[in-house]
Amino acid sequence: MGIGTLAHTVGHLPLKQLTEKLSGRGIDFVQLALSKAISDFDTSLGRLSPALANHIGEQFHRAGIRIGVLGCYINPIHPDPQQRRHEINRFKEHLRFARDFGTSIVATETADLTTYLSQDSELYEAMGWTTLKQTVEELAEEAERWGVFIGLEPVFTHTLSSTEKMVRILDEIPSSNLGVVFDPVNLMPPTAVESQEIFLEQAFAAFGDRIVLAHLKDVVIQNNKRQEVRSGKGIFQTKTFLEMLHRVKPGIDISLEQLADDTLDETFQYVRSLMS
């Protein structure tokens, strides 16, 4: 399985400096959020081109690193239609140029479950779902057109807040170009912390075949509050997760999160030790 991390883990830097800083550290791939990682190119909506995407991809390739996924974390249910349209168009642009960067996945989360709570305290979940479905249907059409994948990341406080809702969106939008970015710590509700293995088994059974990328971090509980930390520093059953993931999706990419430049090497070594 490929081990990677967010490109901006080492900073928001000029492209050459960024790739040099990531090179030689055992990083197989990066999740590249363009505007967060690269400081010397304007990658805002309308600025991308095949040539720029190829150039960025080549710089990472020379450093011995793949671009495994483009991170384009939009708010697909933004209550302002104009802002939502801007974000949808930005995501669609990433889909169009993904293969020029050397990847076939563009990933996003799905925004807060309570986005429409102030508008309607009873129907806010349904309102968010309807908006999400409309957005994802449009994005799926674009992904199909370009032969790439949308990676939807469920989070227990977001519109896709459960394993069941992840399955529901896949059922309601029957596109082969929709995939799952599985971050077990993000999706695991507080009630499942004591029964992690059951939660993981249910998630893999429900959508394991649709996973296109895994995220990995850890979690601690302090004063009844969750705090996300880097792998090996909390109570998440990392080895169990990796074993299940390998059985369901051998060779899949795993992006390590909650890292900083000075903790990256140690955490990579720890995760690799669990995989040996």
Side-chain angles (χ1 to χ4, degrees), residues 224-243:
N224 293 321
K225 290 186 178 180
R226 290 165 47 112
Q227 181 183 347
E228 295 172 355
V229 294
R230 61 192 172 101
S231 291
K233 301 299 179 182
I235 59 173
F236 180 63
Q237 295 175 13
T238 305
K239 187 172 178 61
T240 298
F241 170 68
L242 291 172
E243 289 170 351

Side-chain angles (χ1 to χ4, degrees), residues 240-254:
T240 298
F241 170 68
L242 291 172
E243 289 170 351
M244 289 183 180
L245 184 65
H246 178 66
R247 285 198 301 270
V248 174
K249 284 290 180 180
I252 199 165
D253 281 341
I254 307 167

Side-chain angles (χ1 to χ4, degrees), residues 23-252:
S23 179
R25 303 178 72 171
I27 298 170
D28 297 318
F29 76 96
V30 290
Q31 176 167 319
L32 179 61
L34 293 167
S35 60
K36 290 183 178 181
I38 299 170
S39 65
D40 57 341
F41 287 98
D42 181 357
T43 57
S44 59
L45 179 60
R47 298 293 189 268
L48 296 186
S49 65
L52 177 58
N54 276 317
H55 174 68
I56 292 171
E58 285 168 4
Q59 293 302 309
F60 277 95
H61 180 70
R62 288 174 185 170
I65 299 169
R66 284 184 292 114
I67 298 174
V69 55
L70 291 179
C72 185
Y73 279 61
I74 63 170
N75 181 346
I77 64 167
H78 200 291
D80 179 347
Q82 190 172 355
Q83 179 62 32
R84 186 166 71 247
R85 172 50 49 195
H86 180 273
E87 299 202 23
I88 289 170
N89 288 345
R90 182 166 166 266
F91 197 95
K92 289 169 80 170
E93 185 177 65
H94 277 61
L95 290 170
R96 289 197 297 275
F97 292 107
R99 289 197 178 276
D100 294 306
F101 283 97
T103 186
S104 61
I105 308 168
V106 184
T108 187
E109 293 175 353
T110 59
D112 289 340
L113 187 63
T114 57
T115 296
Y116 290 93
L117 181 61
S118 61
Q119 294 186 30
D120 193 314
S121 61
E122 293 183 1
L123 298 176
Y124 69 93
E125 282 193 52
M127 293 168 67
W129 185 268
T130 299
T131 307
L132 177 66
K133 185 178 176 182
Q134 290 172 348
T135 296
V136 175
E137 282 176 334
E138 181 178 344
L139 296 180
E141 286 182 11
E142 191 75 12
E144 289 167 0
R145 193 171 288 124
W146 296 93
V148 293
F149 291 95
I150 297 166
L152 291 177
E153 182 176 350
V155 180
F156 82 97
T157 55
H158 287 187
T159 310
L160 289 183
S161 59
S162 65
T163 297
E164 293 74 21
K165 286 183 179 177
M166 188 68 245
V167 172
R168 180 183 168 193
I169 199 78
L170 294 172
D171 286 344
E172 291 187 6
I173 306 176
S175 171
S176 301
N177 296 70
L178 273 186
V180 181
V181 175
F182 186 28
D183 185 326
V185 168
N186 273 358
L187 184 57
M188 183 173 62
T191 54
V193 169
E194 301 301 322
S195 54
Q196 293 180 36
E197 199 159 338
I198 294 172
F199 161 76
L200 290 171
E201 286 172 351
Q202 291 174 340
F204 278 116
F207 56 69
D209 61 323
R210 302 295 292 274
I211 297 171
V212 293
L213 176 74
H215 283 176
L216 187 60
K217 53 179 171 274
D218 215 323
V219 63
V220 296
I221 309 295
Q222 294 180 333
N223 301 320
N224 293 321
K225 290 186 178 180
R226 290 165 47 112
Q227 181 183 347
E228 295 172 355
V229 294
R230 61 192 172 101
S231 291
K233 301 299 179 182
I235 59 173
F236 180 63
Q237 295 175 13
T238 305
K239 187 172 178 61
T240 298
F241 170 68
L242 291 172
E243 289 170 351
M244 289 183 180
L245 184 65
H246 178 66
R247 285 198 301 270
V248 174
K249 284 290 180 180
I252 199 165

Side-chain angles (χ1 to χ4, degrees), residues 1-10 18-31 60-61 63-68 253-256 259-261 264-265 268-269 272:
M1 293 188 283
I3 305 296
T5 192
L6 303 167
H8 59 273
T9 294
V10 297
L18 179 73
T19 55
E20 286 175 351
K21 205 166 182 182
L22 290 164
S23 179
R25 303 178 72 171
I27 298 170
D28 297 318
F29 76 96
V30 290
Q31 176 167 319
F60 277 95
H61 180 70
I65 299 169
R66 284 184 292 114
I67 298 174
D253 281 341
I254 307 167
S255 181
L256 309 190
L259 302 185
D261 192 8
L264 188 155
D265 301 306
F268 265 62
Q269 186 176 358
R272 289 193 189 280

